[in-house]
């Protein structure tokens, strides 16, 4: 289906159809894309993205509310099932959950931090068909398991808002249960208030026919902490673009990710941390293993504004290429406008360490086993800080991946 | 002439008081040891003497050779003959000791209105002193302190002292992190340099160092002031029963 | 950064631009602006054969269809290409002077003032100089000695006449004129520059050097340099640049192509000190330079060293195409920006052949209101088995009105290739300052010593004869004490 037809088909699902400002904005972005008024070559948001996936997809969406649910495993342990972008409206002392409606245009305009230069976000804006609000109340200590269920052939364009109120302490887990041929363009606007401590783990492991474009924009206020870990074991295409704004002093953010690619899989990654206040610390680390004909990119960026003195910002990217047919591109940027800073980045791309391989084999370990050991050691150190069940889940995913290596 | 007299010195860092009416007098040719538990303010004293700008002097006087040191900035104090052997000598990548120390000694000579030393004589002097301290010419080619072991850094401090020939040298926990051999080399260096014209303030946590350097006076410091002064027997007492008696 | 350190460094950087004088000499200029007539005029002035003019006109046609590259981190008003003089020669240069006696003494005096004596008895020992004034080469020293070894060192205009087969074969072979608008522009209107050919197995015994001087107002300088090192040869080449202090911006768009054949090595050093503009950012040179080296043969090596202190805008990425197996590319750079200067500089290492190696060391220092960007591109193509790159870029910031940016692109398509990249950005270490001052060094001395140390890895790559000049330029030499 053409882009124009999709645009027309979607119109009835557009949440803000009765709002002039947003409707006009939608039309404007649509025009911009139709007229190709953007720099395709140097646009990071389109790196490793097949343009025809955007221009010729089959828009399909039907809101189904029955299956979505919120279940309490115990008082502080929630499982939230979002089905085709719709969740169940719910509220208790800890949390408030509700679906985005046309009445929410004000918060949509105010709280939406998404990047204007991102074509994927442009698509999210014009095809918007769902979204939710989570409000996690002050002083709560919660564990939230969020399951995204998308049915066959659905195209989800979702814009979500999560507010972590003062001093909340939350571990949020994102799981994606995608069936077949789905497109999931999901944008998060996360706001973290003073003294809140948030750990956000994102698991991506789904079949080849699905596509996930996940974007997050997180704003950290004074003394807050945001720690995001993304694990991508998917056979389908994934784009992980994550931005964090350190707006309050003494806040910190870390964006960590790892990806394991095989066959002809592709993934595109970007992290971006903007230091707007003094005494903040940030960390961006992505690691990837690429096998067969896979392809990946990683953009990272530390931006330190003029008044963000005493900033510490670190970046690290590591890529291991297992075959001659895969490729990895990285661009670790530092843009610094304050002088009292400590910023650094390191980046390596190469094969599995031959000397380590040799050492292990000289101890009688088979080449395949040795290979597995080295690759798992690659992320081993990062798993140590995780909860046991999460670490286990990742280990299982990893050993599945490693078993594929043995042919 | 008053050689060194510290009178009611009060110092704080980020609002926290560290030196509290601190007093000491050191005469020409004397070796003083300053001992005390962690956090008693020993290193603060060393840094305040050197003029470290992180510390705030609230009140007091530090008279050194008839001048109040507190009126001088870091380099002026150094040029006047004060030398601080750092606890953690900083690495300066890309900067070689020869031009560094040459500039350093000439700044002192210039201040004393003496003729500056030329490149050749200086290089000779540096090589001679280095050799005496067992510092290889290879080490002289490296960047200052960069990639040095703890012992090498301390030896480098002694080398610098031997060239700059200060009247008053402060050793800030020079023994920390040194093994016995390194300690011996460092103390030999100090002993060789000692003469009736120069004085030392040796700051240390342990008594071990004082077995090699024989101080004329030993002071015990607690909560920002000297609580007891005596001779070497004081150090022996600390070795036997710690600081809790003070 | 405490204010004292900023003041100290500011003081260094505000030292009056020593080379800002104007030589009062009459010059011959055609009308302003760019069209086919001007290109024909330049070609005629240079007495060029027809093929050269055809080539220029082709490039001009390409340029007409192109727009200037936009991706650099630079802000400047659009360049009005019709408001520039494309040719300027001191009067009396209708023919290139045969020897210095035919050269206007004012010109010789100019070069004396710049520290580049051209007279036979005063020439710099061990350095052969080609002096380029606006659009023409004034004189080339040591020509005879070099000729004995078969080394050709002359102006590019002369090479077009005397060595057309080499020029035809290599000109535009490393930088295709259609690469981007500045390369197309340069190819159309280049006026002078140097040409070097080192024959097989000859190691050039002295430094070859070109000194570029822009004098005339509102004049663009479009230099073109071509260096060919034949099999097993070696050459070290250095360029220096200055320009008078003027209120208006001037354009300098050079193209430099290097070709190293099997086992050959080219070392190319630049000390760039074009007029940077005043404290308010008025005036200064726009320096849009394309430099690219091709390691064509096996085991060849190209090494770029640059000290960039001048220009209002620097846009420059000396690059290496590592085509021959086992070839080596190196890039050493110090870039200092102050006041309102902007620099976007770095390198591109393209690994094509097996076992190719590259090394990038970049040191950026930003002060005042300046913006200093390192931009680098390291790519390993499919066939670049066991290729290696090591990159280190460090930035030093002084004051919070300036910016330091690091933008590396790293692309690997070969699984036996290894790339390692490290970068850091920080201010001058207060602990180091304290240590130096405790040893009696003044604040100023301490700062310059530390900055000197920060740049050392790069400065030590410069040929001996120029290392000192460069240190002075970096404003960090401690009189008589830098050993």
């Amino acid at each position: 289906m053409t882009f124009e037809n999709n645009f027309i088909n979607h119109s009835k699902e557009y949440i803000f159809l009765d709002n002039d400002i947003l409707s006009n904005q939608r039309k404007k972005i649509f025009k911009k894309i139709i007229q190709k008024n953007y720099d395709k070559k140097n646009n990071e948001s389109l790196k490793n993205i097949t343009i025809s996936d955007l221009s010729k997809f089959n828009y399909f969406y039907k809101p189904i509310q029955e299956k979505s649910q919120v279940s309490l495993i115990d008082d502080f342990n929630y499982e939230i099932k979002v089905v085709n972008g719709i969740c169940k409206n719910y509220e208790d002392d800890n949390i408030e959950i509700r679906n985005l409606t046309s009445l929410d245009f004000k918060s949509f305009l105010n709280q939406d931090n998404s990047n204007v230069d991102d074509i994927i976000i442009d698509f999210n804006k014009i095809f918007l068909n769902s979204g939710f609000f989570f409000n996690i109340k002050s002083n709560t200590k919660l564990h939230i398991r969020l399951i995204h269920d998308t049915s066959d052939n659905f195209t989800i364009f979702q814009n979500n808002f999560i507010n972590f109120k003062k001093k909340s302490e939350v571990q949020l887990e994102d799981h994606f249960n995608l069936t077949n041929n789905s497109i999931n363009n999901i944008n998060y606007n996360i706001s973290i208030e003073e003294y809140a401590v948030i750990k956000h783990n994102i698991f991506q492991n789904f079949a080849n026919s699905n596509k996930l474009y996940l974007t997050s924009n997180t704003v950290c206020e004074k003394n807050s902490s945001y720690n995001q870990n993304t694990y991508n074991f998917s056979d389908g295409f994934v784009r992980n673009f994550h931005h964090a704004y350190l707006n309050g002093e003494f806040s910190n953010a870390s964006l960590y990710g790892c990806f394991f690619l095989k066959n002809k899989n592709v993934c595109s990654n970007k992290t971006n941390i903007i230091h707007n206040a003094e005494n903040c610390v940030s960390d961006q680390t992505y690691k990837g293993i690429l096998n067969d004909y896979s392809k990946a990119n990683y953009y990272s960026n530390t931006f330190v504004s003029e008044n963000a003195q005493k900033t510490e910002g670190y970046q690290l990217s590591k890529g291991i290429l297992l075959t001659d047919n895969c490729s990895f591109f990285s661009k670790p940027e530092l843009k610094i406008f304050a002088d009292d800073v400590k910023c650094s980045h390191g980046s390596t791309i190469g094969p599995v360490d031959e000397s380590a391989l040799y050492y292990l084999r000289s101890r009688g370990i088979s080449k395949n086993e040795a290979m597995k050991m080295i690759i798992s050691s690659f992320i081993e150190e990062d798993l140590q800080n995780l909860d046991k069940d999460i670490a286990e889940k990742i280990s299982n995913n990893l050993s599945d991946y490693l078993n594929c290596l043995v042919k | 002439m008053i050689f060194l007299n510290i009178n009611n010195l009060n110092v704080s860092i980020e609002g926290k008081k560290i030196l509290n009416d601190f007093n000491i007098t050191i005469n020409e040719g004397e070796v003083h040891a300053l001992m005390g538990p962690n956090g008693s303010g020993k290193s603060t004293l060393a840094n305040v003497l050197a003029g470290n700008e992180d510390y705030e002097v609230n009140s007091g006087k530090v008279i050194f050779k008839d001048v109040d040191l507190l009126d001088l900035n870091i380099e002026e104090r150094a040029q006047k003959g004060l030398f601080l052997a750092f606890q953690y000598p900083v690495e300066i990548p890309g900067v070689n000791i020869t031009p560094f120390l040459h500039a350093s000694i000439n700044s002192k000579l210039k201040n004393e209105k003496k003729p500056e030393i030329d490149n050749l004589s200086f290089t000779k002097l540096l090589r001679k002193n280095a050799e005496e301290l067992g510092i290889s010419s290879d080490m002289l080619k490296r960047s200052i302190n960069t990639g040095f072991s703890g012992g090498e850094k301390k030896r480098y401090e002694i080398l610098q002292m031997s060239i700059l020939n200060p009247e008053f040298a402060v050793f800030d926990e020079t023994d920390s992190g040194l093994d016995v051999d390194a300690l011996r080399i460092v103390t030999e260096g100090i002993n060789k340099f000692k003469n009736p014209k120069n004085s030392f303030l040796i700051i240390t946590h342990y008594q071990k160092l004082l077995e090699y350097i024989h101080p004329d006076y030993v002071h015990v410091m607690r909560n920002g002031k000297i609580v007891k002064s005596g001779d070497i027997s004081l150090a022996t007492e600390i070795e036997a029963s710690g600081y809790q008696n003070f | 950064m405490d204010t004292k350190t900023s003041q100290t460094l500011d003081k260094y950087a505000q030292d009056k631009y020593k080379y800002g004088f104007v030589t009062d000499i009459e010059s011959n200029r055609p009308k302003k602006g760019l069209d086919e007539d001007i290109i024909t005029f330049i070609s005629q002035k240079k007495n060029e054969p027809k093929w050269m003019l055809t080539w220029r006109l082709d490039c001009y046609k390409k340029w007409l269809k192109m727009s200037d590259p936009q991706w650099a981190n630079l802000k400047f008003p659009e360049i009005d290409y019709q408001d520039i003089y494309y040719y300027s020669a001191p009067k009396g240069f209708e023919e290139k002077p045969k020897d210095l006696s035919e050269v206007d003494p004012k010109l010789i005096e100019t070069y004396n003032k710049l520290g580049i004596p051209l007279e036979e008895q005063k020439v710099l020992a061990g350095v052969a100089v080609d002096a380029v004034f606006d659009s023409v080469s004034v004189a080339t020293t040591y020509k005879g000695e070099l000729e004995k070894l078969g080394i050709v060192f002359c102006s590019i205009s002369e090479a077009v006449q005397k060595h057309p087969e080499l020029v035809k074969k290599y000109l535009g072979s490393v930088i295709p004129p259609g690469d981007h608008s500045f390369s197309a522009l340069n190819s159309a209107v280049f006026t002078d520059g140097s040409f070097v050919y080192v024959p097989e197995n000859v190691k050039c015994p002295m430094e070859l050097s070109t000194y570029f001087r822009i004098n005339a107002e509102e004049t663009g300088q479009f230099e073109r340099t071509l260096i060919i090192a034949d099999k097993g040869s070696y050459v070290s080449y250095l360029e220096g640049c200055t320009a008078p202090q003027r209120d208006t911006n001037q354009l300098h768009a050079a193209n430099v192509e290097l070709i190293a054949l099997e086992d050959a090595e080219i070392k190319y050093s630049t000390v760039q000190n074009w007029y940077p503009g005043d404290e308010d950012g008025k005036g200064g040179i726009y320096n849009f330079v394309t430099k690219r080296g091709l390691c064509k043969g096996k085991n060849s090596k190209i090494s770029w060293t640059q000290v960039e202190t001048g220009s209002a805008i620097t846009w420059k990425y000396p690059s290496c195409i590592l085509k021959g197996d086992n070839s080596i590319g190196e890039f050493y750079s110090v870039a200092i920006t102050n006041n309102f200067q902007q620099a976007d500089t770095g390198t591109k290492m393209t690994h094509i052949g097996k076992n190719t190696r590259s090394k990038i060391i970049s040191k950026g220092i930003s002060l005042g209101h300046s913006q200093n960007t390192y931009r680098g591109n390291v790519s390993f193509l499919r066939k670049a088995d066991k290729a290696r790159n090591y990159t280190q870029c460090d930035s030093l910031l002084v004051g919070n009105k300036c910016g330091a940016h690091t933008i590396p692109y790293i692309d690997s398509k070969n699984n036996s290739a290894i790339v390692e990249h490290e970068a850091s950005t920080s201010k001058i270490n207060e602990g180091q300052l304290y240590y130096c001052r405790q040893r009696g060094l003044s604040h100023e001395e301490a700062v310059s010593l530390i900055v000197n140390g920060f740049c050392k890895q790069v400065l030590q790559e410069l040929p001996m004869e120029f290392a000192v000049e460069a240190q002075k330029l970096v404003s960090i030499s401690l009189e008589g004490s830098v050993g």
Side-chain angles (χ1 to χ4, degrees), chain C residues 66-315:
Chain C
M66 299 168 98
S67 50
D68 290 345
Q70 296 297 327
W71 39 262
N73 188 17
L74 302 169
K75 285 193 191 91
F76 56 94
E78 208 176 318
I79 299 167
D80 182 356
Y81 289 99
Q82 299 308 332
D83 196 31
I84 294 172
Y85 289 104
Y86 286 83
Y87 184 86
S88 167
K91 260 216 166 116
F93 268 71
E94 281 73 27
E95 294 284 318
K96 181 169 176 171
K98 285 182 194 67
D99 58 59
L100 281 182
S101 64
E102 292 183 9
V103 175
D104 189 326
K106 275 186 191 159
L107 273 177
I108 297 170
E109 184 48 34
T110 299
Y111 283 91
N112 278 335
K113 255 169 134 174
L114 296 169
I116 315 285
L118 300 175
E119 293 109 317
E120 201 68 42
Q121 60 278 23
K122 291 187 201 154
V123 289
L124 298 173
V127 186
V129 179
D130 181 25
V132 177
F133 191 87
D134 289 339
S135 305
V136 291
S137 167
V138 174
T140 312
T141 63
Y142 282 115
K143 250 180 136 168
E145 271 97 313
L146 294 169
E147 267 165 20
K148 278 178 210 148
L149 294 163
I151 297 170
V152 182
F153 178 40
C154 62
S155 71
I156 190 99
S157 313
E158 200 179 326
V160 171
Q161 312 282 345
K162 291 186 179 159
H163 306 279
E165 66 301 334
L166 285 171
V167 175
K168 258 191 204 170
K169 186 170 175 191
Y170 289 110
L171 191 72
S173 70
V174 188
I175 307 171
D179 206 60
H180 55 268
S181 65
F182 297 124
S183 66
L185 177 66
N186 176 285
S187 303
V189 302
F190 71 86
T191 41
D192 229 329
S194 297
F195 176 84
V196 177
Y197 171 76
V198 189
E200 258 180 67
N201 296 320
V202 171
K203 311 273 182 232
C204 182
M206 60 179 85
E207 302 289 333
L208 304 185
S209 163
T210 304
Y211 198 91
F212 294 96
R213 172 78 178 167
I214 299 179
N215 189 61
E217 215 167 350
E218 298 176 301
T219 302
Q221 191 177 54
F222 302 92
E223 98 206 37
R224 184 96 196 184
T225 291
L226 178 60
I227 299 178
I228 303 147
D230 213 326
K231 287 178 189 169
S233 67
Y234 168 82
V235 63
S236 172
Y237 178 92
L238 185 128
E239 61 169 356
C241 340
T242 56
Q245 216 158 325
R246 293 189 192 282
D247 289 347
T248 49
N249 297 109
Q250 278 177 289
L251 179 65
H252 171 86
N255 274 9
V256 174
E257 294 177 283
L258 313 183
I259 296 113
L261 301 180
E262 220 172 293
D263 298 312
E265 179 178 348
I266 302 173
K267 188 173 167 58
Y268 192 106
S269 315
T270 306
V271 176
Q272 185 264 106
N273 189 21
W274 294 119
Y275 177 55
D278 68 9
E279 299 90 274
D280 303 317
K282 209 166 181 213
I285 301 288
Y286 287 173
N287 192 29
F288 293 97
V289 175
T290 307
K291 291 185 168 167
R292 203 173 292 167
L294 173 63
C295 284
K296 200 170 181 186
K298 279 182 193 164
N299 309 317
S300 55
K301 179 176 175 184
I302 289 178
S303 175
W304 300 99
T305 306
Q306 61 173 27
V307 176
E308 302 283 319
T309 60
S311 297
I313 289 178
T314 300
W315 180 100

Side-chain angles (χ1 to χ4, degrees), chain B:
Chain B
M1 182 192 77
I2 297 172
F3 185 74
L4 180 83
N5 175 260
I6 301 179
N7 189 7
N8 285 341
L9 186 64
N10 286 286
V11 173
S12 55
I13 182 164
E14 284 168 3
K16 199 181 157 221
K17 198 153 193 185
I18 311 227
L19 292 187
N20 200 350
D21 283 338
F22 184 91
N23 291 292
I24 197 171
T25 301
I26 295 174
N27 295 311
E28 218 170 50
E30 289 176 355
V31 178
H32 289 242
L34 184 64
M35 299 182 74
N38 286 332
S40 56
K42 305 186 301 281
S43 284
T44 298
L45 178 69
N47 279 299
V48 168
L49 287 174
N52 189 324
E53 288 151 353
D54 292 344
Y55 297 86
E56 196 189 327
V57 176
N58 306 111
S59 62
K61 273 196 157 78
V62 180
I63 305 298
F64 176 57
K65 296 199 291 183
D66 292 340
V67 174
D68 194 344
L69 276 189
L70 301 177
D71 295 337
L72 306 179
N73 69 21
I74 306 170
E75 57 267 32
E76 287 164 344
R77 299 180 196 202
Q79 287 159 7
K80 199 139 175 64
L82 174 87
F83 181 88
L84 172 63
F86 284 75
Q87 185 178 2
Y88 305 109
V90 63
E91 302 191 354
I92 312 181
V95 179
N96 181 267
I97 189 151
T98 313
F100 168 69
L101 210 51
H102 191 198
S104 183
I105 188 166
N106 276 342
S107 77
K108 192 173 178 229
L109 291 170
K110 210 162 134 189
N111 188 263
E112 290 164 357
K113 305 208 162 50
K114 288 181 186 158
E116 295 185 11
I117 179 167
D118 66 78
N119 220 330
L120 195 66
S121 331
F122 174 75
T123 312
K124 270 188 195 158
L125 176 71
L126 183 67
R127 282 214 196 112
K128 183 182 128 272
N129 286 17
E131 204 173 310
E132 282 173 15
L133 285 164
I135 293 171
S136 67
S137 54
D138 251 9
M139 209 170 129
L140 290 181
K141 285 183 197 142
R142 288 156 65 185
S143 298
I144 296 169
N145 297 327
T146 308
F148 287 13
S149 70
E152 285 173 329
K153 283 184 184 171
K154 300 294 162 72
R155 242 190 286 176
Y156 235 57
E157 296 288 285
I158 303 291
L159 173 64
Q160 292 177 38
M161 177 182 74
S162 75
I163 299 279
L164 296 175
N165 200 10
E167 283 85 344
F168 181 44
V170 179
F171 279 78
D172 186 9
E173 308 229 11
T174 292
D175 49 339
S176 67
L178 291 194
D179 59 29
V180 181
D181 286 340
L183 192 63
R184 192 178 41 78
I185 292 169
V186 167
T187 49
E188 273 173 11
I190 295 175
N191 287 330
K192 195 179 275 173
F193 179 67
K194 201 162 82 181
N195 68 42
K197 282 275 168 208
N198 57 28
S199 308
F200 290 86
L201 179 63
I202 314 278
I203 292 171
T204 180
H205 186 75
Y206 301 106
Q207 173 259 0
K208 191 92 196 148
L209 179 74
L210 306 180
E211 284 177 14
Y212 298 94
I213 301 169
H214 307 292
D216 303 310
Y217 300 93
V218 175
H219 310 276
V220 179
M221 189 170 177
R222 270 207 104 147
N223 299 328
K225 58 169 76 175
I226 289 173
V227 289
K228 193 163 183 183
S229 299
D231 58 13
I232 188 77
S233 62
L234 206 52
T236 327
E237 197 185 325
I238 289 164
E239 176 74 355
S241 49
Y243 288 106
Q244 69 266 32
N245 298 336
F246 297 95

Side-chain angles (χ1 to χ4, degrees), chain A residues 187-252:
Chain A
N187 185 40
Y188 276 120
N189 297 289
I190 301 174
S191 135
I192 302 179
E193 293 190 358
E194 289 174 25
Y195 294 97
V197 177
I198 311 306
K199 208 164 182 185
H200 189 179
N201 296 319
I202 302 167
F203 302 96
Q204 298 157 341
N205 188 357
F206 47 80
N208 175 276
S209 58
N210 298 290
K211 290 182 178 62
L212 171 64
Y213 306 89
L214 182 67
T215 314
S216 71
N217 305 282
T218 304
V219 177
C220 295
E221 290 176 25
K222 227 165 137 180
N223 293 296
S224 68
S225 163
Y226 179 66
N227 181 343
Q228 182 193 69
N229 298 287
T230 305
Y231 305 95
N232 173 10
F233 291 95
S234 298
D235 288 325
F237 172 84
V238 180
R239 193 193 85 143
N240 273 311
F241 272 35
H242 300 290
H243 312 263
Y245 299 80
L246 296 166
N247 287 357
E249 42 179 44
F250 296 100
S251 59
N252 69 74

